[in-house]
Amino acid sequence: MTDASPPKHVTIANRDVPEGVSASAEISLEELQLSQRNHGMHLEALRYDVTPLGMHYVLIHFDVPDTDEANWTLSVGGRVRNPLALTMAEIRARPSVTMPVTMECAGNGRARLTPRPISQPWLTEAVGTAEWTGTPLRPILEEAGLQDDAIELVFTGADRGVQKEIEHDYERSLSVADAMRDEVLLVYGINGQPLTPQHGSPLRLLVPGWYGMASVKWLTRITATTEPFEGFQMESYRFRQEADEEGTPVTRIHPRSLMIPPGIPDFLTRRRFVDVGRHRLRGRAWSGWAAIHGVEVSTDGGASWADADLGDPRSPYAWVPWTFDWDADAPVETELCSRATDAAGNTQPLDPPWNLGGFANTSVQRISVEVRRATAE
Ligand SMILES: Nc1nc2c(c(=O)[nH]1)N[C@H]1C(S)=C(S)[C@@H](COP(=O)(O)O)O[C@H]1N2
Ligand SMILES: [Mo]
């Protein structure tokens, strides 16, 4: 892990609503369409160390490409001494690593911003932990032999589309130092099965600790370059307040904690009902900047906080389980919240931090609960 901290943001106040942002609380049919293609994780799935396949969130910018494992090649070229073209059989024959890794979309929390940046309207559910199987990237880059003037690697997916009127392949870059880290893998397996189409089959990049956009799916090409890559998917993932601002890049995952909503839900509102008594609240917390240091819980809407008990993560890149015993001794309507802090001192704000892309809104989750007298059977 790193001991660095994410950039700080400011909160938008009294200003004009920029293009691509909605001042209305109503979600459009276009946003609904996106949210059906790109589903979130059911929050009760926080109970599993490894998110069952199909409950892990999905984010696909364009279409799932029509890929064929038998004829797939990964090419490694650009500023390298020995360009490579690896088949899937060759990649599978290399040393394999299996590692649980928590992945989160940088846009998680976007739909809770006011005004709301128009894009995939995530609430808090764009997260999951998969057990990924693959092979480390660094030895492949070493075999290809990066030239001394190479500064970045560009990773290209097989999917293509148009975003903000710009047609492009899905492509992202990493610095040579970030790409050479031990935990960066090329993965072909998920939860003990072959990688599924929606998660990038036959091959994807996995960059543990980073927001999901870095983990390029349907990976066909790696290109070593001498210039910083400025493709669409690099330019759009930046923290900025104004469109013409340079901003700073979105990189690692900011700390967040989520709670399994307790009791039973109301169908439409997802508001919870719990009976008077003691309840063990459970959740998970994660950060891509440093290990999780603590989780605090509030059972009074954020007025007071107390420490939760932390369990052990399944890997340094997987979420940490936590529990908190709550004595709900009288009927009340309240909000349950939790807040994670990592070892670098990064924590979650109470108020949403606004930016034009709607990235990294890690303001605390709020679960509305009605505590009631136990209902007679
Ligand atoms: N080729 C390609 N890779 C991609 C994407 C994409 O649209 N195309 N989406 C990215 C984003 S924004 C996220 S959050 C993760 C989501 O990974 P998942 O769908 O396996 O959860 O994949 C990333 N890799
Ligand atoms: Mo994402």
Side-chain angles (χ1 to χ4, degrees), residues 68-74 85-96 135 140 188 202-203:
D68 173 11
E69 150 128 34
N71 294 312
W72 196 260
T73 46
L74 170 69
L86 301 171
T87 65
M88 284 307 300
E90 287 166 333
I91 291 170
R92 286 175 186 279
R94 301 180 69 91
S96 91
T135 193
I140 292 176
Y188 45 76
L203 188 69

Side-chain angles (χ1 to χ4, degrees), residues 56-62 103-106 132 157-159 170 198-199 204 212-213 215-218 237:
H56 191 285
Y57 88 97
V58 172
L59 193 298
I60 300 157
H61 282 76
F62 306 130
M103 190 184 289
E104 183 177 18
C105 181
W132 302 96
D159 51 331
Y170 187 94
Q198 71 274 31
H199 291 299
R204 86 180 289 177
M213 74 282 152
S215 294
V216 176
K217 304 195 264 193
W218 312 293
Y237 284 96

Side-chain angles (χ1 to χ4, degrees), residues 56 100-104 127-130 132 208-210 253 286 317-319:
H56 191 285
V101 173
T102 299
M103 190 184 289
E104 183 177 18
V127 66
T129 298
W132 302 96
W210 283 54
I253 302 175
W286 59 93
Y317 299 97
W319 52 24

